[in-house]
């Protein structure tokens, strides 16, 4: 009874200490947290914060800007008017529903940066003549002040400023010039300069903006008639941004833009020849150089196509395709446009090609003959290709090191994917999967001491194919370090936390009393042994003496005063000791009448 009384005193002391610490923390945590200022449109910003750590129901906030109250809210943010470029002090006070009362302020010293005009886009040469060009560009978006004009820079020197979106620029007759344009607002703030435009001595623009995509290639015409034609081309290579579409020009004028690799043109005349070019457009509005032009003649007959295409050799990641020749109806056959799943792959100057593919996928191929005028034939009949997929070889040299009573470190040499990539390695213990790791090593824990295990490893590739397993590696875990302690510890078998505490401190424990059993009627014993606890403790030389709990005064009286019942209990307890190897039983009688003590 003295043991239980001491525990109650200790518990009350801990509760008192916790209450004291909580009161101190509440005093320090009454102010709003993480103040943040976020710019909105126009001259507005959102001031936001998190509730105090000690917040409760009924909380509101008072907000001040530069010492003056500008609002009160129950939310965690408020929208305020601000002056861009001016630093201000914002204060937020938590009011009501928070420990600590009034005066719980948080402050933020910040400013909203001034927003300059937007970047000028679309700079181009509108007209040119000897010694002079007319430049034009698109309007820049305004910032915090209206756009007042545009500043023109030639070869890093300002040459003029204009209120309009065009400018007459003088040229040198001997060299090229680099020109940019930037917007200026009414407060003198300068926006970002446009992409540079290089202008040659003749007044024509040279090249394209830095970071622009490459020019499309392989432009060809199909389904040409007196009324229309379809233009096809090969995809461009992206520059600094992804390609979003292609712009088609007819005789130098834009006729449309598309996200695909083809466009149908209409309203053609017969007989007539048109110059067709294509450029690529990226997400940053860069335009590539235009493709080499083709002459689209409504009077020209397209070539005859290949009558057959076939797949000669298919592997995990490639296929070799071949086809029969086409014939031209004017000019010569310049090559063959190969298409995969309807999209152009490339122009081939021959009658076969090997293409790279993904493994375990199905593709459809066809081919069109292209003549020297850029006209394409009708497609050959489709051919379907199904690539194979070979699993990776097993990892090599599986070995075990750093074997303890509870863990082992496994390592192996990496596998190489036949196709795809190696996604990881799956580890098995006695045939059951433990997990997967990307590295060629793994430390396996939670093993039992003095136990034999068998480990294997397989490689898994990026398509989910699994290799054969490595030869197994056997491991015998070490004996655990025995206890050197003498403390006696009770262990609650109804909670895992009690066992975790024993694991952490077992070297200080000499005897453990698990709460396995209860006294039943007529000397019977209820409950059961926990082999995890018993075996774990005995492996570390800790004596195991389970606790017999009896808090029924009627049964205690029967056990103490009835010889047969008492002998039945003693025999049942002795049988448990013989069966499980206990060093004894700890008997705990509580609640008996004073006369029975």
């Amino acid at each position: 009874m003295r043991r239980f009384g001491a525990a109650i005193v200790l518990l009350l002391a801990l509760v008192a200490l916790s209450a004291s610490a909580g009161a101190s923390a509440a005093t320090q945590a009454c102010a709003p947290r993480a103040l943040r200022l976020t710019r909105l449109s126009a001259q507005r910003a959102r001031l936001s914060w998190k509730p105090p750590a000690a917040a409760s129901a009924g909380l509101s906030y008072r907000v001040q800007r530069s010492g003056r109250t500008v609002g009160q809210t129950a939310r965690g943010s408020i929208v305020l008017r601000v002056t861009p470029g001016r630093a201000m002090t914002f204060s937020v006070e938590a009011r009501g529903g928070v420990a600590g009362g009034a005066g719980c302020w948080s402050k933020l010293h910040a400013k909203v940066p001034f927003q300059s005009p937007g970047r000028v886009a679309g700079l181009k040469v509108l007209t040119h003549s000897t010694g002079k060009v007319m430049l034009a560009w698109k309007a820049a978006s305004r910032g915090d002040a209206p756009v007042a004009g545009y500043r023109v820079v030639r070869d890093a020197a300002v040459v003029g400023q204009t209120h309009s979106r065009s400018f007459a620029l003088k040229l040198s007759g001997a060299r090229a010039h680099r020109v940019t344009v930037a917007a200026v607002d009414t407060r003198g703030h300068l926006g970002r300069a446009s992409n540079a435009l290089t202008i040659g001595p003749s007044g024509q623009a040279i090249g394209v903006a830095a970071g622009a995509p490459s020019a499309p290639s392989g432009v060809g015409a199909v389904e040409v008639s007196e009324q229309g034609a379809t233009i096809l081309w090969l995809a461009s290579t992206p520059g600094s941004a992804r390609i979003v579409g292609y712009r088609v020009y007819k005789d130098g004028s834009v006729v449309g833009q598309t996200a695909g690799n083809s466009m149908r043109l209409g309203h053609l005349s017969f007989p007539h020849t048109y110059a067709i070019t294509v450029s690529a457009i990226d997400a940053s509005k860069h335009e590539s150089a235009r493709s080499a032009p083709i002459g689209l003649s409504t009077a020209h007959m397209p070539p005859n196509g290949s009558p057959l295409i076939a797949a000669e050799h298919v592997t995990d990641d490639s296929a070799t395709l071949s086809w029969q020749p086409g014939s031209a109806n004017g000019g010569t056959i310049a090559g063959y446009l190969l298409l995969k799943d309807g999209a152009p792959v490339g122009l081939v100057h021959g009658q076969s090609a090997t293409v790279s593919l993904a493994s375990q996928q199905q593709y459809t191929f066809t081919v069109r003959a292209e003549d020297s005028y850029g006209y394409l034939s009708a497609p050959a009949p489709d051919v379907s290709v199904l690539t194979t997929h070979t699993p990776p070889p097993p990892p090599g040299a599986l070995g075990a090191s750093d074997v303890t009573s509870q863990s082992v470190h496994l390592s192996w040499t990496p596998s190489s994917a036949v196709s795809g990539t190696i996604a990881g390695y799956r580890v098995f213990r006695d045939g059951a999967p433990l997990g997967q790791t990307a590295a060629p090593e793994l430390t396996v824990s939670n093993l039992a001491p003095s136990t034999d295990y068998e480990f294997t490893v397989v490689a898994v590739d990026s398509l989910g194919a699994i290799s054969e397993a490595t030869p197994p590696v056997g491991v015998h875990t070490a004996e655990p370090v025995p206890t050197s302690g003498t403390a006696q510890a009770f262990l609650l078998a109804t909670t895992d936390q009690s066992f975790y505490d024993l694991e952490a401190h077992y070297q200080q424990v000499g005897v453990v009393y698990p709460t396995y059993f209860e006294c039943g009627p007529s000397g019977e014993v209820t409950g059961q042994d926990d082999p995890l606890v018993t075996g774990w403790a005995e492996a570390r030389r800790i004596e195991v003496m389970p606790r017999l709990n009896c808090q029924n005064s009627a049964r205690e009286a029967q056990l103490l005063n009835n010889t047969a019942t008492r002998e039945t209990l003693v025999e049942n307890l002795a049988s448990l000791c013989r069966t499980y190897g206990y060093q004894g039983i700890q008997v705990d009688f509580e609640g008996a009448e004073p006369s029975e003590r």
Side-chain angles (χ1 to χ4, degrees), residues 464-481:
I466 299 174
S467 73
E468 295 290 331
T470 60
V473 167
V475 172
H476 183 81
T477 52
E479 294 283 342
V481 178

Side-chain angles (χ1 to χ4, degrees), residues 3 44 80 88 188 257 278 284 312 314 323 401 432 456 566:
R3 173 167 56 85
R44 299 185 305 150
L80 304 172
M88 299 180 179
Q257 186 167 317
V278 182
S284 296
E312 292 185 341
V314 179
W323 50 87
S401 61
T456 55
R566 184 167 59 251

